[in-house]
Amino acid sequence: MRASLILGTLLSGLALAAALASFVWTPADVTQLAIAQKLLPPSGQHWLGTDHFGRDMLSMIMVGARTSIAVALVAVGIGMGFGVPLGLLAAARSGGWLDEVVMRGNDLVFAFPSLVIAILITAVLGPSALNAIIAIGIFNIPVFARVTRGGALPIWTLDYIRAAQVAGKGAGRISIQHILPNIANLLIVQGTIQFSLGILAEAGLSYVGLGAQPPTPSWGRMLAEAQTMVALAPHVAIIPGLAIVVTVLGLNLLGDGLRDALDPRLRRSP
């Protein structure tokens, strides 16, 4: 098993474990303020210290992981749910008007930076975790549509697909029975990559105040609130920053390891 796959699984699993554990236990209540204990350094009572409101940083990180993972996961689900069928349709009608409409729509979305689109959507709809999910999910749709179409087009030229057409199978049935299973590895790897980008996008939106709103903790908002206190209590900025870096790094390593494991053509020699 590749080192990147092992390390990526461990780092991603750590973030997921923290998010799942926060549903049943956190060291302290993240909504409880204790101004007298604000900006305490890491100690036996508060393992990661406290923030400027006296809230336990470990608890904030755990609940913030839940927020980031939930937003990114649902956004990836939206992208796959709409983008994969569009990509399959475009590949099945390659060269036709439907293919042209899908690809030109993709080009239109890609013409603008994803974070700018997300900020625009959340600014119009209002700041909330739900609107952040919608904004990130919309950008994921053309990504999955393009990956699906690119993976499906070579398969449509194979002999067994021609045989299925001669046997009377329609484009939709062929796409589901033959095309989709053969590009599942591409979609899994791309899903992992988009998951990490979704966490970054959620953190960016929360940083500018357009993501999850108080009292729901968010890694991005924790960074925004800590930027004026870095010299006084550096742990309040370092800890959420490390949480984002470790999670995104873990997901990228996981995606790289899955790519090598699932596609024999991309396997590197030890």
Side-chain angles (χ1 to χ4, degrees), residues 5-16:
L5 182 58
I6 297 174
L7 183 58
T9 301
L10 289 176
L11 294 179
S12 302
L14 179 63
L16 180 60

Side-chain angles (χ1 to χ4, degrees), residues 192-270:
T192 305
I193 295 172
Q194 295 305 123
F195 193 16
S196 67
L197 293 177
I199 289 177
L200 280 177
E202 189 280 330
L205 290 174
S206 295
Y207 184 85
V208 297
L210 297 175
Q213 298 300 295
T216 303
S218 169
W219 292 343
R221 194 173 66 254
M222 290 172 69
L223 278 175
E225 293 173 348
Q227 62 183 349
T228 60
M229 295 172 283
V230 174
L232 182 62
H235 70 277
V236 296
I238 292 174
I239 291 171
L242 281 177
I244 296 172
V245 170
V246 168
T247 303
V248 172
L249 175 63
L251 288 169
N252 284 333
L253 289 174
L254 179 60
D256 185 64
L258 287 174
R259 180 192 61 186
D260 291 344
L262 295 176
D263 193 341
R265 295 170 299 177
L266 296 178
R267 288 178 183 168
R268 295 189 293 263
S269 59

Side-chain angles (χ1 to χ4, degrees), residues 94-114:
S94 178
W97 67 269
L98 182 58
D99 181 27
E100 190 68 18
V101 169
V102 171
M103 297 312 297
R104 297 296 76 75
N106 288 349
D107 293 340
L108 179 63
V109 175
F110 285 136
F112 302 93
S114 59

Side-chain angles (χ1 to χ4, degrees), residues 10-76:
L10 289 176
L11 294 179
S12 302
L14 179 63
L16 180 60
L20 294 176
S22 69
F23 283 102
V24 295
W25 173 83
T26 55
D29 184 357
V30 295
T31 63
Q32 182 177 358
L33 308 183
I35 304 300
Q37 300 183 33
K38 67 178 182 179
L39 301 178
L40 293 178
S43 64
Q45 182 180 3
H46 300 284
W47 290 359
L48 298 181
T50 61
D51 68 357
H52 59 299
F53 288 129
R55 296 172 295 186
D56 182 70
M57 288 289 291
L58 178 57
S59 302
M60 296 283 288
I61 290 295
M62 292 173 66
V63 181
R66 183 174 71 194
T67 303
S68 295
I69 290 175
V71 169
L73 186 62
V74 177
V76 170

